[in-house]
Amino acid sequence: MADHATMTVTPLRRRLSPEESREAALEAARALLVEVGPQAVTLKAVAGRIGRTHANLLHHFGSADGLQKALIESMASRIVGTIKSAVLRAREREDPAEVVDLTFDAFGKNGAGALASWMILSGDEDALDPILTAIHDLVEELAQDNDPGAPIHEETLQLVLMALGDALLGAPMARALGLPRDKARELARAMLLADRGKLPAA
């Protein structure tokens, strides 16, 4: 059986600046994470995908662990940027459905939850720090101009924990309990609406 990590190769023929080379490696690592899983995010697999050498990536990241940390930092920035724009739109519509979907997708199908869990299980207890710090900063920023009565810190805690849990155990738990796969998203949306006095808690 072919190795998925080396099936798709996108060689970078032109000479890239160090920053461009690093970004290309992170994009390839992100693709491997989503397509294959966190165990596939290695220097060798990423180098093969972008047509660079192992030594080239070693220069940029130092180790596979360094590559994974750089990837999760990059993903953290994207996650909070996406969630922030969704939060602003949700305020206008008074419906948090988009915020819930984007948060669940960030940790689920976009791979952040799996990568963070993989790193934690591999002994890197600080793996979630970039995501947690980015989310903390986002919440603090949003809280400055938010309704003082809105429990934004508590909402964020609940939503992120639900999204991370769903990314790791959502599918088997839903099957085991005979519930629809998206039930956790429904519960998260109902929770946020209830916090805002729009709907009774589910």
Side-chain angles (χ1 to χ4, degrees):
M1 184 174 173
D3 180 1
H4 291 287
T6 56
M7 281 180 66
T8 306
V9 178
T10 308
L12 300 174
R13 293 185 176 85
R14 68 184 182 86
R15 186 170 179 82
L16 299 179
S17 69
E19 185 57 36
E20 288 173 327
S21 182
R22 190 174 189 278
E23 189 56 36
L26 288 174
E27 284 299 325
R30 190 176 293 111
L32 283 166
L33 173 65
V34 173
E35 293 167 21
V36 188
Q39 71 281 2
V41 182
T42 64
L43 292 174
K44 180 179 178 182
V46 171
R49 177 159 285 210
I50 63 173
R52 289 296 194 252
T53 65
H54 181 276
N56 179 265
L57 293 193
L58 199 60
H59 171 73
H60 286 297
F61 301 105
S63 64
D65 185 54
L67 170 63
Q68 291 171 352
K69 285 181 179 178
L71 176 58
I72 209 163
E73 286 171 5
S74 171
M75 293 177 76
S77 176
R78 290 186 179 204
I79 287 169
V80 297
T82 301
I83 293 173
K84 179 180 179 180
S85 63
V87 166
L88 297 176
R89 289 195 297 273
R91 285 181 184 170
E92 296 170 4
R93 300 174 190 170
E94 298 188 344
D95 185 344
E98 187 180 13
V99 177
V100 170
D101 284 340
L102 288 169
T103 305
F104 272 62
D105 286 347
F107 286 98
K109 68 182 183 183
N110 292 338
L115 179 60
S117 299
W118 172 268
M119 292 172 70
I120 290 169
L121 290 172
S122 299
D124 185 358
E125 296 180 1
D126 300 327
L128 278 175
D129 282 356
I131 292 177
L132 297 178
T133 299
I135 289 174
H136 173 269
D137 292 346
L138 170 63
V139 169
E140 290 298 310
E141 180 183 343
L142 293 172
Q144 289 177 8
D145 62 349
N146 199 50
D147 175 359
I152 191 166
H153 290 80
E154 291 87 347
E155 284 184 354
T156 303
L157 174 65
Q158 289 176 292
L159 182 57
V160 170
L161 288 177
M162 289 179 78
L164 183 56
D166 186 71
L168 302 178
L169 290 171
M173 281 292 292
R175 280 195 305 272
L177 297 171
L179 295 171
R181 176 63 185 91
D182 288 340
K183 189 64 178 177
R185 292 185 188 228
E186 291 176 25
L187 293 171
R189 178 174 174 270
M191 172 200 74
L192 292 178
L193 286 169
D195 283 346
R196 297 169 191 187
K198 304 288 183 185
L199 194 77

